[in-house]
Amino acid sequence: MFVGTGGLFYAALTVQPALSQTHLAAPWWTPTALAAIYLPPALMVLAAALWRLDWLRFAVLAFAGGYGVAIASWLLVRTGHTIGNETTLWIVWMPGLPAVAMCLFRHRAPFVYLAVVSVLSQLATMLVRTDYDGGLLVSDILFAVSYSALPAAACVGLIRTGRMLDETSHAVAAAAANNAAAEARRFERKRFDGLTHDGVIATLLQASRAANTPLLAGYARSTLESLDGLRSGAAPAEHVDNARWLANLRAVVADIDDTVPVVVNESADRLGQIPGTVATLLVSATGEAVRNWQRHASTPVRAAVCEVTVTVERTTVAVEITDDGAGFDTTAVPSVRIGLRANIIEAFADLPGGWSSIDSLPGRGCRVCVGWTTT
């Protein structure tokens, strides 16, 4: 747009001088040269306004070619008439503008083009002026080249910088998309690992140890519904009332062992609702901790006792699962153990506002705390 507008500006300045200098070349040359030089800038303006890059490329080539052919042909069709030294041949006013236009699509060719048309324009100036000093030809050529080379170089630098910024922007966007996709896959993998461990494996283990019961059937049905939700991509409810998620938590604990007490401590200014994702993680972590107690805490000589305590305050929800069983060394738990890693440690580490802790020693029982604080 800028270069095209500049070409039209030069047209307004040079049409009158061109018409007054028609006697310096063949009669057909001046109107033909004016059309060849100034129609492409008009097309450039139109192409830029319509965002037509193909038109713009064609207009730039036509502009550079039209000016080059016009200045070269003037040397061949000139009539030999001359003008005074105080007058300038109209066509030599703008050798640098086509070169600047070429910089939109080329980096080196515009400077070669600029050198050639600068030589031709200064030769035309030497031939048309009455008392031109030939000794100034070289210096005039160098001045013409240097005068237009600076804006051409600035244009090349600007376009290169813009291209680098575009490439960097696209690379950053692609990297962000890849990272987001990888994070989504990791999150879904965690959900699948946790559901497999808490639902599928736990159901099968329970089925292998006891006869079919309505409680076992209900747990299996709940697991299948969770698997269907995972497959369909359904997200947890946005917010869940305390009564609802606490009922789910009690049901999960009762499904595992209905002798485990669930104690709920609620402050007067307690939260009325919590995000569905938080509720799902709290219930899942509680079920995992109680199952671990059931499987590992008791010894042949002593049955361990477990208790679940839920605390709901104004900004915090916490669940504590304690037992007085055999305990274990937390540093010796293999990293491949899905239950502790996926459902408690990593799940709450990835949850904004979430936290978890596991305190246990051999022979001293176990205390698992998970919670969430509003942010």
Side-chain angles (χ1 to χ4, degrees):
M1 179 70 76
F2 173 77
V3 177
T5 304
L8 296 180
F9 176 76
Y10 272 108
L13 290 179
T14 58
V15 166
Q16 183 176 356
L19 296 178
S20 65
Q21 296 175 2
T22 54
H23 63 285
L24 300 178
W28 57 267
W29 182 87
T30 298
T32 304
L34 288 172
I37 295 173
Y38 294 128
L39 286 180
L43 180 58
M44 291 171 64
V45 173
L46 179 62
L50 298 177
W51 293 91
R52 291 297 302 268
L53 190 61
D54 52 341
W55 291 9
L56 183 61
R57 188 184 299 273
F58 172 78
V60 168
L61 293 177
F63 187 30
Y67 183 81
V69 171
I71 189 66
S73 62
W74 185 91
L75 298 173
L76 300 177
V77 300
R78 65 188 183 90
T79 59
H81 293 89
T82 59
I83 56 179
N85 291 337
E86 70 283 356
T87 307
T88 303
L89 184 64
W90 70 272
I91 198 172
V92 305
W93 286 17
M94 46 173 291
L97 193 60
V100 173
M102 290 178 64
C103 292
L104 296 173
F105 301 102
R106 297 289 188 272
H107 294 160
R108 296 182 179 87
F111 298 97
V112 176
Y113 174 89
L114 177 61
V116 173
V117 296
S118 295
V119 170
L120 295 177
S121 64
Q122 294 307 313
L123 285 175
T125 299
M126 180 183 68
L127 294 174
V128 79
R129 282 186 172 173
T130 306
D131 299 321
Y132 184 83
D133 185 357
L136 299 177
L137 179 62
V138 174
S139 61
D140 287 345
I141 292 175
L142 293 176
F143 175 79
V145 172
S146 61
Y147 181 80
S148 300
L150 184 60
C155 183
V156 170
L158 180 64
I159 292 173
R160 282 184 173 179
T161 301
R163 184 176 293 113
M164 290 175 60
L165 290 175
D166 288 342
E167 292 174 353
T168 302
S169 176
H170 293 159
V172 170
N178 291 336
N179 290 338
E183 184 65 21
R185 289 192 297 269
R186 186 176 71 88
F187 177 75
E188 289 302 314
R189 183 64 183 177
K190 283 185 178 182
R191 288 182 62 193
F192 181 76
D193 287 348
L195 184 56
T196 301
H197 184 274
D198 292 351
V200 178
I201 296 177
T203 301
L204 294 176
L205 285 175
Q206 191 69 22
S208 68
R209 295 172 180 173
N212 188 16
T213 63
L215 191 63
L216 178 62
Y219 195 69
R221 188 179 303 108
S222 175
T223 300
L224 291 175
E225 291 175 356
S226 298
L227 287 171
D228 289 339
L230 183 63
R231 181 178 61 182
S232 65
E238 185 174 351
H239 284 87
V240 181
D241 293 337
N242 287 339
R244 181 177 175 183
W245 75 266
L246 286 173
N248 290 340
L249 185 143
R250 287 191 175 96
V252 167
V253 173
D255 284 347
I256 301 170
D257 191 322
D258 58 5
T259 65
V260 176
V262 178
V263 179
V264 178
N265 300 317
E266 296 181 297
S267 64
D269 57 349
R270 64 186 178 276
L271 289 168
Q273 294 180 328
I274 62 174
T277 302
V278 175
T280 300
L281 292 179
L282 289 172
V283 173
S284 175
T286 302
E288 174 61 24
V290 174
R291 271 188 294 271
N292 281 341
W293 159 78
Q294 185 186 58
R295 296 169 190 165
H296 308 298
S298 297
T299 64
V301 297
R302 181 177 177 276
V305 177
C306 178
E307 181 179 271
V308 177
T309 303
V310 182
T311 302
V312 184
E313 298 178 344
R314 186 172 63 88
T315 60
T316 302
V317 179
V319 181
E320 181 179 284
I321 305 95
T322 58
D323 68 68
D324 59 355
F328 61 95
D329 183 0
T330 57
T331 62
V333 178
S335 60
V336 295
R337 291 293 298 273
I338 296 177
L340 288 176
R341 173 177 56 82
N343 294 327
I344 298 178
I345 300 173
E346 292 185 357
F348 283 87
D350 291 341
L351 177 67
W355 50 269
S356 66
S357 66
I358 301 175
D359 299 322
S360 182
L361 287 173
R364 296 189 179 181
C366 180
R367 177 176 174 269
V368 178
C369 291
V370 292
W372 173 78
T373 301
T374 59
T375 56

